Amino acid sequence: MNTALAQPARFLVIGIAGYVVNLGLFAVLYGLGLPYILASILSYFLSNAVMYVGNRYFTFRLGHEGFWRAYLSYMLVGVIVVGLTAGLLVLLVEGLGVDPRVGQAISLLLVTPAAFILFKRWTFRAQVS
């Protein structure tokens, strides 16, 4: 597979794992009575940490050097991504009457293309191709 397709494919593999972790955590937190927005934010940041390691070593094939500096950048980009996700979630739940669990699943999928671009450009820019 050529490099132009390999990175998005690897990002997708890590994203699927993060997606499953996120939805599982969201379901647990929401089931425990947390408001859906708080459950969305918490589940995103917990799954975000897992995805950082996967993206750093698997998707973009970076070493250990600069791990924490890049993680800070990843978290800052994550704030943008979680904001987009939460905004879409509110639109789906409050505007369209979608169940929060379904809304979380949909909003994460809709944000994925923008997340790839943001993470690639601002966090893993050493491997931009």
Side-chain angles (χ1 to χ4, degrees):
M1 182 181 298
N2 73 35
T3 304
L5 296 176
Q7 280 187 348
R10 290 190 304 259
F11 185 82
L12 186 60
V13 168
I14 297 302
I16 289 168
Y19 184 74
V20 169
V21 168
N22 187 304
L23 292 180
L25 288 170
F26 180 84
V28 168
L29 295 171
Y30 184 68
L32 290 172
L34 264 66
Y36 70 89
I37 291 297
L38 181 57
S40 177
I41 292 168
L42 291 175
S43 64
Y44 178 81
F45 280 117
L46 292 170
S47 65
N48 190 39
V50 172
M51 291 187 298
Y52 172 71
V53 172
N55 280 317
R56 180 168 184 86
Y57 294 108
F58 179 67
T59 303
F60 298 104
R61 314 257 180 185
L62 301 174
H64 304 303
E65 186 177 336
F67 181 93
W68 292 109
R69 181 184 50 75
Y71 185 59
L72 176 61
S73 175
Y74 194 82
M75 290 297 289
L76 293 174
V77 172
V79 169
I80 295 167
V81 174
V82 80
L84 292 170
T85 303
L88 285 169
L89 180 58
V90 168
L91 177 69
L92 291 168
V93 173
E94 302 298 329
L96 301 175
V98 173
D99 180 270
R101 291 168 292 251
V102 174
Q104 178 75 355
I106 293 169
S107 62
L108 288 169
L109 289 174
L110 292 175
V111 168
T112 296
F116 173 75
I117 293 166
L118 291 171
F119 285 126
K120 183 174 178 175
R121 297 289 179 209
W122 288 334
T123 303
F124 299 113
R125 67 179 140 224
Q127 293 293 315
V128 172
S129 53

